[in-house]
Amino acid sequence: MLIDSSHKRWATFTIIALALASGYFAFYYQHSYAEPGGNGPTGASWPGLAYGIIGFAMMIFCGLLGIRRRVRIWRLGKGQAWLRAHIWLGLLAFPLILFHSGLRFGHGPAMLSFWLMVLFSIVLVSGIVGVLLQNILPRSLLLRVQAETTFEQIPLVINALRFEADGLVRQVCGPLGNEKPGDEAEDQASMTGGMTSTTKKEGAVQGKVMKSRNKGPMMQLMEGSAPLKAFYLNEVQPFLHTEITVGSKLATQRSAVALFQHTRTLLPDPLHETLRDLESVCDERRQLALQSRLHFWLHSWEYLHVPLSYALLALSVVHAIVASVKY
């Protein structure tokens, strides 16, 4: 969810509502101590209850976003509108609950209200981090990853790159020596199997690139190709798997450039074009690896934010029941 001009109304509402709530709380805070025997604001007072009920209602609404995502056919409003409301009402709910507690982080033997505030703080911070990541990482992905593809299809594209690279090296080096029966058919199937119409188009584009690189039929073993074959089997082919080998010299652009430059000095001129094609394949593989890492960070915060949010709602219900029995 990008924070843009579409959030202006929600941001304005949140600022005005927070200013009004804060202004009244300042009056209530002073008045609660000015009264005879006053011990300050509490959640059991009418203002404290009002802050608590409104804040808890906002928390429940924010929690309904998960249900809204699972029942989109119910036509419960646009998803973007729900996300905007989730962000700004979630931000507003925290100070309202803090006002409900009288600016205290809880007390009592079980310290339930204390842990509720701690949990709410973690949920709030994780949500803010998530919004920041969603506003920063997509721009980084757009600038740094030119070979971007659908995340779910990354393994298929990697298999296509390996199939392409194998063909490039076989043309000039002959059989690689580590082929298994059915490898070629399996690789070809991996390029199209399970693809949607969108990813089939990506596969067609990838196929055109492969045809442009894999020029001509299978060639004879070229003189001086032994270093290329060794380099491919030891460095490039392991790098072109769905899981990159730890410590691979091709994982970073600087070390990859140095490695390719060194290999180029070992090869005759006719093999330099094949080496350039392999370098291009490795560059695409690094971009896909970067996309995978950015995708992980883009969504990893949800594994903390979502379950803790529902735990917060459950404990808030317990807190409300315990408080109603106590008072």
Side-chain angles (χ1 to χ4, degrees):
M1 166 62 73
L2 294 178
I3 304 299
D4 52 23
S5 58
S6 64
H7 289 255
K8 185 176 180 179
R9 291 183 179 179
W10 274 110
T12 302
F13 166 78
T14 301
I15 293 171
I16 294 174
L18 180 58
L20 293 174
S22 300
Y24 182 77
F25 180 78
F27 167 78
Y28 162 58
Y29 186 88
Q30 292 180 347
H31 186 70
S32 64
Y33 279 108
E35 291 182 344
N39 294 319
T42 66
S45 65
W46 284 111
L49 285 173
Y51 281 122
I53 291 172
I54 296 173
F56 185 54
M58 291 180 177
M59 291 166 59
I60 292 177
F61 177 84
C62 291
L64 291 175
L65 177 63
I67 299 177
R68 162 64 180 77
R69 286 177 170 175
R70 290 177 174 82
V71 289
R72 295 177 182 178
I73 59 174
W74 287 4
R75 300 181 181 276
L76 298 175
K78 296 181 179 180
Q80 294 295 313
W82 275 76
L83 282 172
R84 285 191 286 268
H86 178 88
I87 291 171
W88 294 103
L89 292 182
L91 285 172
L92 183 58
F94 184 82
L96 293 183
I97 296 299
L98 194 58
F99 294 157
H100 162 71
S101 68
L103 301 182
R104 302 183 183 93
F105 253 55
H107 54 82
M111 298 188 70
L112 176 60
S113 55
F114 170 78
W115 290 113
L116 274 172
M117 291 305 300
V118 171
L119 188 59
F120 200 170
S121 300
I122 297 174
V123 169
L124 179 68
V125 172
S126 64
I128 293 173
V129 170
V131 172
L132 291 175
L133 289 176
Q134 290 182 352
N135 280 267
I136 295 172
L137 291 185
R139 293 190 180 97
S140 178
L141 187 64
L142 181 64
L143 293 174
R144 300 173 62 186
V145 181
Q146 286 75 41
E148 182 182 2
T149 187
T150 308
F151 176 76
E152 290 75 13
Q153 302 298 334
I154 286 180
L156 297 177
V157 177
I158 292 173
N159 287 336
L161 288 174
R162 189 176 69 251
F163 174 75
E164 174 187 357
D166 284 351
L168 287 169
V169 178
R170 287 194 191 103
Q171 283 183 4
V172 295
C173 298
L176 299 177
N178 60 358
E179 294 92 345
K180 298 177 182 178
D183 267 359
E184 185 171 337
E186 190 175 312
D187 284 340
Q188 289 175 325
S190 72
M191 293 173 57
T192 56
M195 288 189 176
T196 62
S197 59
T198 301
T199 55
K200 282 180 180 178
K201 292 180 181 178
E202 294 173 355
V205 173
Q206 188 71 30
K208 291 180 181 177
V209 174
M210 291 172 61
K211 288 179 181 178
S212 68
R213 290 177 178 159
N214 294 336
K215 304 175 182 68
M218 187 74 69
M219 297 175 61
Q220 297 288 333
L221 178 64
M222 291 186 64
E223 183 178 355
S225 63
L228 177 63
K229 181 177 180 180
F231 169 66
Y232 181 73
L233 293 176
N234 294 330
E235 300 290 349
V236 178
Q237 196 178 59
F239 182 66
L240 299 178
H241 285 276
T242 53
E243 296 294 332
I244 295 178
T245 305
V246 177
S248 173
K249 297 177 182 178
L250 299 175
T252 62
Q253 186 175 6
R254 178 178 297 182
S255 60
V257 168
L259 189 58
F260 272 96
Q261 285 178 345
H262 171 71
T263 305
R264 191 171 289 109
T265 63
L266 304 177
L267 301 176
D269 291 343
L271 291 175
H272 287 184
E273 184 178 358
T274 300
L275 190 66
R276 282 194 297 270
D277 289 339
L278 289 177
E279 191 170 12
S280 177
V281 169
C282 291
D283 182 61
E284 292 181 34
R285 177 65 184 93
R286 275 193 304 276
Q287 291 187 45
L288 292 172
L290 176 60
Q291 182 182 347
S292 295
R293 290 195 299 271
L294 292 177
H295 185 274
F296 169 78
W297 287 111
L298 187 61
H299 296 279
S300 59
W301 64 276
E302 294 180 348
Y303 296 111
L304 177 68
H305 182 76
V306 174
L308 290 187
S309 296
Y310 287 115
L312 175 63
L313 287 174
L315 287 178
S316 296
V317 172
V318 174
H319 168 73
I321 294 174
V322 170
S324 63
V325 172
K326 181 178 179 180
Y327 294 104

PDB file of all heavy atoms in Angstrom, residues 283-300:
ATOM      1  N   ASP A 283      23.837 -12.811 -14.807  1.00  0.00           N
ATOM      2  CA  ASP A 283      23.315 -11.527 -14.355  1.00  0.00           C
ATOM      3  C   ASP A 283      21.810 -11.605 -14.126  1.00  0.00           C
ATOM      4  O   ASP A 283      21.291 -11.088 -13.127  1.00  0.00           O
ATOM      5  CB  ASP A 283      23.635 -10.450 -15.385  1.00  0.00           C
ATOM      6  CG  ASP A 283      23.156  -9.077 -14.943  1.00  0.00           C
ATOM      7  OD1 ASP A 283      23.626  -8.595 -13.892  1.00  0.00           O
ATOM      8  OD2 ASP A 283      22.304  -8.491 -15.629  1.00  0.00           O
ATOM      9  N   GLU A 284      21.088 -12.281 -15.023  1.00  0.00           N
ATOM     10  CA  GLU A 284      19.652 -12.471 -14.838  1.00  0.00           C
ATOM     11  C   GLU A 284      19.371 -13.296 -13.593  1.00  0.00           C
ATOM     12  O   GLU A 284      18.420 -13.026 -12.854  1.00  0.00           O
ATOM     13  CB  GLU A 284      19.050 -13.137 -16.076  1.00  0.00           C
ATOM     14  CG  GLU A 284      19.047 -12.259 -17.313  1.00  0.00           C
ATOM     15  CD  GLU A 284      18.428 -12.953 -18.513  1.00  0.00           C
ATOM     16  OE1 GLU A 284      17.484 -13.755 -18.310  1.00  0.00           O
ATOM     17  OE2 GLU A 284      18.881 -12.724 -19.640  1.00  0.00           O
ATOM     18  N   ARG A 285      20.219 -14.317 -13.348  1.00  0.00           N
ATOM     19  CA  ARG A 285      20.022 -15.147 -12.153  1.00  0.00           C
ATOM     20  C   ARG A 285      20.226 -14.328 -10.880  1.00  0.00           C
ATOM     21  O   ARG A 285      19.475 -14.496  -9.900  1.00  0.00           O
ATOM     22  CB  ARG A 285      21.015 -16.337 -12.180  1.00  0.00           C
ATOM     23  CG  ARG A 285      20.932 -17.232 -10.939  1.00  0.00           C
ATOM     24  CD  ARG A 285      19.586 -17.909 -10.862  1.00  0.00           C
ATOM     25  NE  ARG A 285      19.419 -18.691  -9.653  1.00  0.00           N
ATOM     26  CZ  ARG A 285      18.869 -18.233  -8.537  1.00  0.00           C
ATOM     27  NH1 ARG A 285      18.449 -16.964  -8.473  1.00  0.00           N
ATOM     28  NH2 ARG A 285      18.725 -19.005  -7.480  1.00  0.00           N
ATOM     29  N   ARG A 286      21.198 -13.413 -10.880  1.00  0.00           N
ATOM     30  CA  ARG A 286      21.402 -12.565  -9.704  1.00  0.00           C
ATOM     31  C   ARG A 286      20.215 -11.639  -9.477  1.00  0.00           C
ATOM     32  O   ARG A 286      19.818 -11.383  -8.336  1.00  0.00           O
ATOM     33  CB  ARG A 286      22.682 -11.728  -9.864  1.00  0.00           C
ATOM     34  CG  ARG A 286      23.949 -12.433  -9.450  1.00  0.00           C
ATOM     35  CD  ARG A 286      25.117 -11.465  -9.323  1.00  0.00           C
ATOM     36  NE  ARG A 286      25.352 -10.720 -10.554  1.00  0.00           N
ATOM     37  CZ  ARG A 286      26.064 -11.186 -11.570  1.00  0.00           C
ATOM     38  NH1 ARG A 286      26.618 -12.393 -11.498  1.00  0.00           N
ATOM     39  NH2 ARG A 286      26.240 -10.461 -12.657  1.00  0.00           N
ATOM     40  N   GLN A 287      19.650 -11.133 -10.571  1.00  0.00           N
ATOM     41  CA  GLN A 287      18.488 -10.258 -10.429  1.00  0.00           C
ATOM     42  C   GLN A 287      17.294 -11.015  -9.859  1.00  0.00           C
ATOM     43  O   GLN A 287      16.537 -10.480  -9.039  1.00  0.00           O
ATOM     44  CB  GLN A 287      18.133  -9.659 -11.785  1.00  0.00           C
ATOM     45  CG  GLN A 287      19.160  -8.652 -12.291  1.00  0.00           C
ATOM     46  CD  GLN A 287      18.703  -7.962 -13.552  1.00  0.00           C
ATOM     47  OE1 GLN A 287      17.559  -7.536 -13.649  1.00  0.00           O
ATOM     48  NE2 GLN A 287      19.591  -7.850 -14.525  1.00  0.00           N
ATOM     49  N   LEU A 288      17.115 -12.268 -10.262  1.00  0.00           N
ATOM     50  CA  LEU A 288      16.030 -13.080  -9.708  1.00  0.00           C
ATOM     51  C   LEU A 288      16.263 -13.369  -8.240  1.00  0.00           C
ATOM     52  O   LEU A 288      15.318 -13.408  -7.440  1.00  0.00           O
ATOM     53  CB  LEU A 288      15.904 -14.386 -10.496  1.00  0.00           C
ATOM     54  CG  LEU A 288      15.415 -14.244 -11.948  1.00  0.00           C
ATOM     55  CD1 LEU A 288      15.516 -15.584 -12.667  1.00  0.00           C
ATOM     56  CD2 LEU A 288      13.989 -13.720 -11.995  1.00  0.00           C
ATOM     57  N   ALA A 289      17.528 -13.576  -7.857  1.00  0.00           N
ATOM     58  CA  ALA A 289      17.855 -13.785  -6.442  1.00  0.00           C
ATOM     59  C   ALA A 289      17.546 -12.531  -5.632  1.00  0.00           C
ATOM     60  O   ALA A 289      17.018 -12.610  -4.508  1.00  0.00           O
ATOM     61  CB  ALA A 289      19.332 -14.164  -6.296  1.00  0.00           C
ATOM     62  N   LEU A 290      17.873 -11.372  -6.191  1.00  0.00           N
ATOM     63  CA  LEU A 290      17.560 -10.106  -5.520  1.00  0.00           C
ATOM     64  C   LEU A 290      16.056  -9.927  -5.384  1.00  0.00           C
ATOM     65  O   LEU A 290      15.562  -9.493  -4.329  1.00  0.00           O
ATOM     66  CB  LEU A 290      18.173  -8.942  -6.304  1.00  0.00           C
ATOM     67  CG  LEU A 290      17.862  -7.538  -5.774  1.00  0.00           C
ATOM     68  CD1 LEU A 290      18.364  -7.374  -4.346  1.00  0.00           C
ATOM     69  CD2 LEU A 290      18.471  -6.480  -6.680  1.00  0.00           C
ATOM     70  N   GLN A 291      15.312 -10.273  -6.419  1.00  0.00           N
ATOM     71  CA  GLN A 291      13.861 -10.172  -6.348  1.00  0.00           C
ATOM     72  C   GLN A 291      13.308 -11.065  -5.245  1.00  0.00           C
ATOM     73  O   GLN A 291      12.394 -10.674  -4.510  1.00  0.00           O
ATOM     74  CB  GLN A 291      13.229 -10.553  -7.692  1.00  0.00           C
ATOM     75  CG  GLN A 291      11.709 -10.408  -7.692  1.00  0.00           C
ATOM     76  CD  GLN A 291      11.075 -10.838  -9.008  1.00  0.00           C
ATOM     77  OE1 GLN A 291      11.769 -11.022 -10.006  1.00  0.00           O
ATOM     78  NE2 GLN A 291       9.772 -10.985  -9.021  1.00  0.00           N
ATOM     79  N   SER A 292      13.859 -12.276  -5.106  1.00  0.00           N
ATOM     80  CA  SER A 292      13.407 -13.185  -4.051  1.00  0.00           C
ATOM     81  C   SER A 292      13.670 -12.597  -2.668  1.00  0.00           C
ATOM     82  O   SER A 292      12.821 -12.681  -1.776  1.00  0.00           O
ATOM     83  CB  SER A 292      14.109 -14.537  -4.189  1.00  0.00           C
ATOM     84  OG  SER A 292      13.750 -15.182  -5.390  1.00  0.00           O
ATOM     85  N   ARG A 293      14.859 -11.995  -2.491  1.00  0.00           N
ATOM     86  CA  ARG A 293      15.185 -11.403  -1.188  1.00  0.00           C
ATOM     87  C   ARG A 293      14.270 -10.218  -0.873  1.00  0.00           C
ATOM     88  O   ARG A 293      13.764 -10.087   0.245  1.00  0.00           O
ATOM     89  CB  ARG A 293      16.643 -10.953  -1.161  1.00  0.00           C
ATOM     90  CG  ARG A 293      17.644 -12.093  -1.146  1.00  0.00           C
ATOM     91  CD  ARG A 293      19.028 -11.604  -0.741  1.00  0.00           C
ATOM     92  NE  ARG A 293      19.551 -10.609  -1.659  1.00  0.00           N
ATOM     93  CZ  ARG A 293      20.261 -10.898  -2.739  1.00  0.00           C
ATOM     94  NH1 ARG A 293      20.517 -12.174  -3.056  1.00  0.00           N
ATOM     95  NH2 ARG A 293      20.735  -9.934  -3.521  1.00  0.00           N
ATOM     96  N   LEU A 294      14.045  -9.360  -1.860  1.00  0.00           N
ATOM     97  CA  LEU A 294      13.177  -8.208  -1.638  1.00  0.00           C
ATOM     98  C   LEU A 294      11.741  -8.655  -1.355  1.00  0.00           C
ATOM     99  O   LEU A 294      11.048  -8.061  -0.514  1.00  0.00           O
ATOM    100  CB  LEU A 294      13.207  -7.288  -2.851  1.00  0.00           C
ATOM    101  CG  LEU A 294      14.536  -6.562  -3.108  1.00  0.00           C
ATOM    102  CD1 LEU A 294      14.450  -5.726  -4.382  1.00  0.00           C
ATOM    103  CD2 LEU A 294      14.907  -5.675  -1.932  1.00  0.00           C
ATOM    104  N   HIS A 295      11.298  -9.700  -2.037  1.00  0.00           N
ATOM    105  CA  HIS A 295       9.953 -10.220  -1.801  1.00  0.00           C
ATOM    106  C   HIS A 295       9.838 -10.751  -0.375  1.00  0.00           C
ATOM    107  O   HIS A 295       8.806 -10.558   0.296  1.00  0.00           O
ATOM    108  CB  HIS A 295       9.638 -11.329  -2.809  1.00  0.00           C
ATOM    109  CG  HIS A 295       8.227 -11.837  -2.711  1.00  0.00           C
ATOM    110  ND1 HIS A 295       7.850 -12.832  -1.824  1.00  0.00           N
ATOM    111  CD2 HIS A 295       7.089 -11.489  -3.388  1.00  0.00           C
ATOM    112  CE1 HIS A 295       6.572 -13.080  -1.963  1.00  0.00           C
ATOM    113  NE2 HIS A 295       6.083 -12.280  -2.894  1.00  0.00           N
ATOM    114  N   PHE A 296      10.894 -11.418   0.107  1.00  0.00           N
ATOM    115  CA  PHE A 296      10.870 -11.934   1.483  1.00  0.00           C
ATOM    116  C   PHE A 296      10.726 -10.793   2.483  1.00  0.00           C
ATOM    117  O   PHE A 296       9.879 -10.832   3.378  1.00  0.00           O
ATOM    118  CB  PHE A 296      12.150 -12.725   1.761  1.00  0.00           C
ATOM    119  CG  PHE A 296      12.331 -13.069   3.223  1.00  0.00           C
ATOM    120  CD1 PHE A 296      11.622 -14.109   3.787  1.00  0.00           C
ATOM    121  CD2 PHE A 296      13.200 -12.328   4.026  1.00  0.00           C
ATOM    122  CE1 PHE A 296      11.774 -14.414   5.136  1.00  0.00           C
ATOM    123  CE2 PHE A 296      13.358 -12.625   5.365  1.00  0.00           C
ATOM    124  CZ  PHE A 296      12.640 -13.670   5.926  1.00  0.00           C
ATOM    125  N   TRP A 297      11.544  -9.750   2.334  1.00  0.00           N
ATOM    126  CA  TRP A 297      11.477  -8.628   3.280  1.00  0.00           C
ATOM    127  C   TRP A 297      10.180  -7.852   3.134  1.00  0.00           C
ATOM    128  O   TRP A 297       9.683  -7.261   4.115  1.00  0.00           O
ATOM    129  CB  TRP A 297      12.671  -7.705   3.077  1.00  0.00           C
ATOM    130  CG  TRP A 297      13.946  -8.307   3.595  1.00  0.00           C
ATOM    131  CD1 TRP A 297      15.014  -8.736   2.863  1.00  0.00           C
ATOM    132  CD2 TRP A 297      14.264  -8.571   4.957  1.00  0.00           C
ATOM    133  NE1 TRP A 297      15.988  -9.254   3.691  1.00  0.00           N
ATOM    134  CE2 TRP A 297      15.553  -9.163   4.977  1.00  0.00           C
ATOM    135  CE3 TRP A 297      13.597  -8.363   6.160  1.00  0.00           C
ATOM    136  CZ2 TRP A 297      16.179  -9.547   6.161  1.00  0.00           C
ATOM    137  CZ3 TRP A 297      14.215  -8.746   7.353  1.00  0.00           C
ATOM    138  CH2 TRP A 297      15.488  -9.325   7.341  1.00  0.00           C
ATOM    139  N   LEU A 298       9.614  -7.859   1.943  1.00  0.00           N
ATOM    140  CA  LEU A 298       8.371  -7.138   1.714  1.00  0.00           C
ATOM    141  C   LEU A 298       7.209  -7.768   2.473  1.00  0.00           C
ATOM    142  O   LEU A 298       6.257  -7.079   2.855  1.00  0.00           O
ATOM    143  CB  LEU A 298       8.065  -7.111   0.209  1.00  0.00           C
ATOM    144  CG  LEU A 298       6.875  -6.267  -0.255  1.00  0.00           C
ATOM    145  CD1 LEU A 298       7.083  -4.801   0.104  1.00  0.00           C
ATOM    146  CD2 LEU A 298       6.670  -6.426  -1.745  1.00  0.00           C
ATOM    147  N   HIS A 299       7.285  -9.075   2.704  1.00  0.00           N
ATOM    148  CA  HIS A 299       6.165  -9.783   3.334  1.00  0.00           C
ATOM    149  C   HIS A 299       6.512 -10.412   4.686  1.00  0.00           C
ATOM    150  O   HIS A 299       5.598 -10.886   5.381  1.00  0.00           O
ATOM    151  CB  HIS A 299       5.642 -10.878   2.398  1.00  0.00           C
ATOM    152  CG  HIS A 299       5.072 -10.353   1.120  1.00  0.00           C
ATOM    153  ND1 HIS A 299       3.801  -9.845   1.016  1.00  0.00           N
ATOM    154  CD2 HIS A 299       5.620 -10.222  -0.124  1.00  0.00           C
ATOM    155  CE1 HIS A 299       3.565  -9.437  -0.221  1.00  0.00           C
ATOM    156  NE2 HIS A 299       4.655  -9.654  -0.931  1.00  0.00           N
ATOM    157  N   SER A 300       7.776 -10.419   5.094  1.00  0.00           N
ATOM    158  CA  SER A 300       8.158 -11.108   6.326  1.00  0.00           C
ATOM    159  C   SER A 300       7.532 -10.475   7.562  1.00  0.00           C
ATOM    160  O   SER A 300       7.217 -11.177   8.533  1.00  0.00           O
ATOM    161  CB  SER A 300       9.683 -11.117   6.467  1.00  0.00           C
ATOM    162  OG  SER A 300      10.192  -9.788   6.498  1.00  0.00           O
TER     163      SER A 300
END
